[in-house]
């Protein structure tokens, strides 16, 4: 019997093509999620314990090595969550953006090797539109239209992230709204970055504004894109993050261009420099 193609294989291959820092491998039915060596199952990040301690220790050591200072434990946890959630959100948003397919990936079906930039996944099914050829594949669930598919993106990401946020929350000293604000930022900024590599940044902005217009619980805030004007009159797209990554606690003089702590004048300086570079 011929092997049926995966509904998301092309999306993940295209992701790696433009962003070699992340490789996604799909597991066969019955193949265990990798655990051991550099692999960390996502489920291990959902509860307080030695596995979460080991995951956070990597970020603690990285900050000390790269910046010569030790970050607060809650800041280390914030960095670690970002470094997991940013690529994890791409597992859902990239197939949606490229091929209008939304996989379901509970935490028990995902593992992360942060050292090599790898993720291993076993989708439990996917949503798609009625005219998608993949609708004939096993595990397909056809939804009525674009808004229904956007609801699938929000639900699939929330299903995956909710237990992870519960595991990290106490370490970060954050709860409900603050955690889901961070999740909103990871969804938006991850896809926005990859779309820039694809040459489709403007389309991504429009799509993300529809995906997260605000008041889409449990997410907090919206895509929040806006445009500034550079020193030569050039447009500089930016957005207002819902959350702060806390990097300012390590280097107070250095904040992100989308940080709520960064004023527009500083944003223009940073964005214009990045565009020139």
């Amino acid at each position: 019997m011929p092997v049926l193609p995966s509904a998301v294989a092309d999306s993940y291959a295209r992701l790696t093509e433009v962003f070699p820092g992340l490789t996604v491998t799909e597991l066969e039915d019955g193949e265990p999620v990798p655990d051991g060596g550099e692999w960390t199952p996502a489920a291990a990040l959902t509860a307080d314990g030695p596995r979460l301690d080991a995951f956070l220790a990597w970020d603690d050591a990285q900050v000390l090595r790269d910046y010569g200072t030790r970050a607060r434990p809650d800041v280390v946890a914030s960095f670690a969550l970002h470094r997991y959630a940013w690529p994890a959100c791409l597992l859902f948003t990239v197939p949606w953006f490229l091929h209008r397919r939304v996989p379901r990936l509970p935490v028990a079906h995902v593992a992360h090797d942060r050292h090599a930039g790898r993720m291993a996944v076993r989708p439990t099914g996917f949503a798609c539109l009625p005219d998608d050829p993949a609708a004939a594949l096993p595990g397909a669930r056809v939804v009525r239209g674009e808004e229904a598919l956007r609801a699938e993106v929000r639900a699939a990401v929330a299903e995956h992230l909710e237990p992870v946020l519960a595991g990290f929350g106490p370490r970060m000293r954050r709860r409900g709204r603050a955690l889901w604000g961070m999740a909103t930022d990871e969804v938006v900024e991850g896809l926005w970055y990859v779309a820039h590599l694809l040459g489709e940044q403007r389309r991504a902005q429009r799509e993300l504004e529809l995906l997260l217009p605000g008041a889409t619980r449990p997410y907090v805030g919206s895509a929040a894109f806006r445009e500034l004007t550079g020193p030569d009159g050039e447009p500089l797209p930016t957005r207002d993050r819902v959350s702060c990554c806390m990097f300012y606690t390590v280097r107070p003089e250095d904040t992100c261009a989308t940080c709520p702590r960064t004023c527009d004048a500083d944003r223009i300086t940073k964005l214009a420099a990045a565009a020139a570079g």
Side-chain angles (χ1 to χ4, degrees):
M1 293 290 290
V3 176
L4 292 172
S6 158
V8 292
D10 288 345
S11 298
Y12 292 155
R14 182 67 174 135
L15 169 61
T16 300
E17 182 182 344
V18 298
F19 181 51
L22 179 60
T23 301
V24 183
T25 300
E26 290 185 78
L27 303 171
E28 300 290 339
D29 286 342
E31 184 179 358
V33 170
D35 186 1
E38 304 295 352
W39 285 103
T40 300
L45 305 178
T46 64
D48 202 355
R51 297 300 298 273
L52 185 55
D53 287 336
F55 196 79
L56 299 180
W58 189 94
D59 295 272
D60 188 36
Q62 178 267 323
V63 172
L64 183 60
R65 180 185 67 245
D66 292 353
Y67 304 112
T69 187
R70 198 172 287 281
R72 297 188 330 232
D74 60 307
V75 174
V76 168
S78 295
F79 289 177
L81 176 61
H82 163 67
R83 287 163 178 163
Y84 175 77
W86 193 92
C89 288
L90 294 175
L91 299 174
F92 305 92
T93 58
V94 168
W96 165 68
F97 184 70
L98 292 179
H99 296 108
R100 286 301 191 257
R101 297 167 189 172
V102 183
R104 285 286 178 147
L105 292 164
V107 288
H109 291 238
V110 176
H112 183 36
D113 174 1
R114 64 192 307 179
H115 300 267
R118 299 185 295 170
M119 300 195 85
V121 303
R122 185 171 58 246
T124 60
F126 67 98
C128 65
L129 296 172
D131 60 351
D132 189 334
L137 293 176
R141 188 160 61 84
V142 177
V143 299
R144 187 164 299 188
E146 291 284 357
E147 179 50 39
L149 198 64
R150 286 190 284 269
E152 289 289 332
V153 177
R154 293 189 290 264
V157 173
E159 176 189 44
H160 183 86
L161 284 187
E162 185 170 21
V164 177
L165 297 179
F168 276 88
R171 301 294 190 99
M172 295 167 59
R173 299 191 298 182
R174 298 189 192 185
R175 297 293 185 269
R177 282 185 60 84
L179 291 170
W180 284 106
M182 189 170 182
T184 301
D185 289 330
E186 303 299 356
V187 170
V188 174
E189 296 201 348
L191 182 60
W192 194 32
Y193 177 79
V194 171
H196 174 73
L197 301 178
L198 291 163
E200 295 196 73
Q201 191 176 33
R202 292 294 188 182
R203 181 168 81 86
Q205 289 177 214
R206 295 192 299 270
E207 298 279 9
L208 287 164
E209 286 169 342
L210 292 170
L211 179 68
L212 293 167
T216 47
R217 298 177 67 183
Y219 303 94
V220 175
S222 66
F225 290 110
R226 58 192 180 94
E227 195 169 88
L228 299 172
T229 301
D232 297 320
E234 71 276 24
L236 297 172
T238 188
R239 68 175 297 263
D240 295 312
R241 285 179 57 91
V242 181
S243 65
C244 176
C245 72
M246 310 295 284
F247 185 66
Y248 79 94
T249 64
V250 176
R251 297 182 78 173
E253 71 284 0
D254 193 1
T255 58
C256 306
T258 56
C259 179
R261 294 174 175 271
T262 304
C263 68
D264 281 358
D266 288 345
R267 288 187 188 217
I268 290 170
T269 299
K270 291 173 183 290
L271 292 169

